[in-house]
Amino acid sequence: MGSNAEEIVFYTNPMSRGRIVRWMLEEIGQPYRTEVMNYRENMKSPEYLAINPMGKVPAIVHRGVVVTEAAAICAYLADAFPAAGLSPALDDPLRGTYYRWLFFAAGPVEAAVSAKAMNLLAPAEKAGMVGYGSFEKMVETFEQAAASASPWLLGEQFSAADVYVGSQVLWGQMFKTLPECEAFTRYGERLRSRATWQRAGALDDALIPPTT
């Protein structure tokens, strides 16, 4: 699992949230090496646990730095490769909007969708104890984010926030974990039209073992 410091090493499984990071890597346009991990063996190996003690993917190693969590990896790569134009400058007011929706999707959206899938949503009387409040309030706010994308969350500038937020929208549509609405549909159509999204999906799909 060794690599030179400048190389991006990408640990993933094609049937995981690693697909988000694959898309981000295709957006930055830098060479990277893919290490495909399987759930039963090498993802729990001592070598990989030294990289991510959670034994989960995705993860990247770049310049001796380990980054885990898909949203964090997207944000890291956007800043590490500024020429790709995938994050606003530090002094750009859009930086606040960028962080807002990126981490809204990583926090309330991810938590609420997962909780609903397992019938573990907080009861109404305890909504104030969870970051998403209620599933309905999360969806209402998420719809506002998608509706504001004209065409992207930062206006004309496509960013890492679109990669992560957009992935949540696209998965929500695919797996029916988000309700159908016009804002999600239109935003999803724009996302799926990107050559980078299509290329990333094809690369991951090619790694999925055929079913017999």
Side-chain angles (χ1 to χ4, degrees):
M1 293 188 181
S3 66
N4 65 66
E6 291 300 319
E7 181 181 36
I8 303 170
V9 185
F10 170 43
Y11 298 91
T12 191
N13 182 285
M15 300 177 69
S16 76
R17 288 171 176 80
R19 295 180 78 99
I20 302 173
V21 174
R22 171 82 72 180
W23 180 10
M24 183 65 191
L25 286 165
E26 291 301 313
E27 290 285 351
I28 66 172
Q30 297 294 317
Y32 61 92
R33 173 162 60 89
T34 302
E35 293 285 346
V36 179
M37 313 299 290
N38 62 64
Y39 288 102
R40 295 182 180 179
E41 298 170 9
N42 57 2
M43 206 179 291
K44 309 302 181 184
S45 68
E47 293 82 5
Y48 186 66
L49 291 176
I51 293 170
N52 186 358
M54 290 290 288
K56 292 179 176 290
V57 291
I60 66 166
V61 178
H62 178 237
R63 298 173 182 163
V65 175
V66 174
V67 189
T68 64
E69 317 314 315
I73 296 171
C74 288
Y76 172 86
L77 289 172
D79 287 344
F81 298 96
L86 293 167
S87 63
L90 289 174
D91 60 352
D92 189 330
L94 285 174
R95 189 86 175 182
T97 303
Y98 169 76
Y99 279 140
R100 176 189 182 186
W101 294 124
L102 178 62
F103 292 106
F104 179 79
V109 174
E110 176 77 23
V113 167
S114 297
K116 189 174 190 296
M118 296 183 289
N119 294 313
L120 292 174
L121 285 168
E125 67 272 16
K126 295 186 177 180
M129 298 178 65
V130 292
Y132 57 82
S134 70
F135 185 81
E136 292 74 21
K137 179 55 68 176
M138 178 279 291
V139 169
E140 178 185 331
T141 305
F142 204 28
E143 284 186 28
Q144 291 177 17
S148 72
S150 56
W152 312 118
L153 293 169
L154 303 183
E156 292 299 321
Q157 180 184 3
F158 183 89
S159 73
D162 290 294
V163 172
Y164 190 83
V165 173
S167 293
Q168 296 286 358
V169 168
L170 293 174
W171 284 357
Q173 292 177 317
M174 180 183 299
F175 297 110
K176 309 302 181 184
T177 54
L178 290 173
E180 294 184 9
C181 75
E182 185 176 354
F184 291 154
T185 298
R186 290 187 174 182
Y187 185 41
E189 288 173 351
R190 293 193 294 274
L191 294 163
R192 284 190 291 270
S193 71
R194 290 186 70 81
T196 45
W197 179 83
Q198 296 168 12
R199 185 166 63 245
L203 288 169
D204 276 325
D205 289 346
L207 294 174
I208 298 175
T211 57
T212 56

